[in-house]
Amino acid sequence: MLSNDSAAPFLLTGFLGSETIHRWISIPFFVIYFSILFGNGTLLVLIWNDHSLHEPMYYFLAMLAGTDLGMTLTTMPTVLGVLLLEQREIAQAACFTQSFFIHSLAIVESGVLLAMAYDRFIAIRTPLRYSSTLTNSQVMNVGLGVVMRGFVSIVPLILSLYCYPYCHSRVLLHTFCLHQDVMKLACADITFNRLYPVILVALTVFLDALIIFFSYVLILKTVIGIASRGEQTKALSTCVSHISCVLVFYITVISLTFIHRFGKHTPHVAHITMSYVHFLFPPFVNPIIYSIKTKQIQGSIIRLFSGHRRA
């Protein structure tokens, strides 16, 4: 029999012990969120408007920027709500929905990074077939597949949360809803919710990382076979931005996974900080990486803000 408050809202948690300075803490968060929105929004505008960027590499970059924007817009309302307004309550349906988008977009981002590795693999291994292999329709199909994989794979996990009664403490550990926090509050057998994420992450995020690694092994093998040192440098330079984004994403994912799985005695603040790093650092630095390392993006930024358009 369910308790009367089974459908009561959950309570989000800010920085424990620092509630009196939450508004001061919200300032750097606001700056970071604004920077993420501005940086990734600018990338999308550049790729949409500049015809020199209408290539598969930049279409995949647009997908990455869109995914980062989605993740940011998903977490921003509750994070700033808790820090600025002390608005800790969140309805169960809203919590489950937020959790769905957070975890789905994390898998989508991993898939986009894999698609970008595929793009670099084709461009360097078989440059003469690049245009015929990565057509606009092919890019669209890859993008659709990546999005569908991310969203469909999370559905069973979130649906199970709707089915559980909740009669334990309603306090969550973060300023946003994560599946691993919510499931612990259920008064039911949550074996499925413990096992499914492990299998899912192994078959998506870690498998993606493995494929990306081997794709770069083959890319490096191809580059070494190029006679001209200048051509070698040019080929590798097109991969630097992507490699940087891959390292940023997977290092934060692995760090967060390890601290959740093996950091039971780690201070609570370490868990919270690592979660924020995982969800905010990649979207924050990805536009910076591509702006610094990609000359085409640099040129497009100059044209955009100087008011000049390429014919």
Side-chain angles (χ1 to χ4, degrees):
M1 182 130 182
L2 303 185
S3 59
N4 291 333
D5 64 346
S6 178
F10 296 120
L11 293 176
L12 300 169
T13 301
F15 288 87
L16 291 176
S18 304
E19 289 81 1
T20 56
I21 58 171
H22 268 179
R23 293 195 176 184
W24 290 105
I25 296 174
S26 70
I27 295 175
F29 274 92
F30 181 82
V31 172
I32 292 170
Y33 274 124
F34 175 80
S35 300
I36 292 172
L37 295 176
F38 177 78
N40 289 283
T42 300
L43 277 182
L44 289 175
V45 171
L46 293 176
I47 295 168
W48 178 270
N49 288 331
D50 194 331
H51 290 283
S52 69
L53 301 180
H54 289 184
E55 298 177 8
M57 173 182 173
Y58 300 108
Y59 291 147
F60 288 128
L61 177 58
M63 294 179 198
L64 183 66
T67 304
D68 285 339
L69 278 177
M71 181 69 78
T72 300
L73 293 172
T74 297
T75 61
M76 184 172 65
T78 53
V79 172
L80 294 182
V82 170
L83 296 179
L84 278 174
L85 306 174
E86 291 296 327
Q87 184 62 48
R88 295 183 58 203
E89 285 193 358
I90 182 170
Q92 286 190 18
C95 185
F96 299 155
T97 301
Q98 184 184 50
S99 180
F100 171 75
F101 281 105
I102 286 175
H103 295 294
S104 294
L105 289 170
I107 294 177
V108 170
E109 178 140 355
S110 177
V112 172
L113 291 172
L114 175 59
M116 296 172 81
Y118 173 66
D119 167 79
R120 291 300 84 205
F121 176 80
I122 297 297
I124 293 174
R125 290 278 289 188
T126 56
L128 297 179
R129 294 170 51 193
Y130 181 70
S131 298
S132 60
T133 301
L134 284 176
T135 61
N136 287 345
S137 60
Q138 179 70 9
V139 171
M140 188 177 299
N141 289 336
V142 171
L144 183 61
V146 165
V147 172
M148 290 298 294
R149 184 190 71 159
F151 281 82
V152 171
S153 62
I154 293 296
V155 168
L157 213 55
I158 302 303
L159 284 180
S160 65
L161 295 181
Y162 277 97
C163 299
Y164 293 148
Y166 296 92
C167 54
H168 294 316
S169 166
R170 307 233 160 230
V171 180
L172 299 171
L173 299 178
H174 300 81
T175 51
F176 40 78
C177 293
L178 296 178
H179 164 264
Q180 57 264 37
D181 289 343
V182 177
M183 73 174 187
K184 294 175 183 177
L185 304 183
C187 302
D189 182 3
I190 58 171
T191 302
F192 171 78
N193 294 72
R194 291 187 182 278
L195 294 179
Y196 184 83
V198 175
I199 298 171
L200 180 61
V201 169
L203 293 177
T204 55
V205 177
F206 285 102
L207 182 59
D208 290 350
L210 193 62
I211 296 173
I212 291 172
F213 173 76
F214 280 112
S215 71
Y216 271 104
V217 170
L218 295 175
I219 287 172
L220 187 59
K221 183 179 178 181
T222 302
V223 171
I224 291 174
I226 299 175
S228 168
R229 182 59 62 89
E231 289 298 319
Q232 288 180 345
T233 303
K234 183 179 179 181
L236 287 176
S237 67
T238 66
C239 301
V240 172
S241 299
H242 176 249
I243 293 172
S244 301
C245 292
V246 166
L247 290 175
V248 167
F249 177 76
Y250 285 107
I251 287 173
T252 58
V253 166
I254 292 170
S255 300
L256 183 62
T257 300
F258 268 85
I259 201 168
H260 272 300
R261 294 290 173 187
F262 307 109
K264 293 181 180 179
H265 303 294
T266 305
H268 176 72
V269 68
H271 288 262
I272 299 301
T273 302
M274 197 61 237
S275 295
Y276 288 128
V277 169
H278 169 60
F279 291 115
L280 295 179
F281 190 61
F284 177 75
V285 301
N286 286 347
I288 297 174
I289 290 171
Y290 271 91
S291 298
I292 292 174
K293 296 294 184 180
T294 309
K295 291 182 179 180
Q296 291 90 333
I297 296 291
Q298 293 174 3
S300 189
I301 291 173
I302 293 171
R303 288 191 294 274
L304 175 68
F305 291 104
S306 65
H308 294 98
R309 296 176 65 91
R310 176 175 284 191

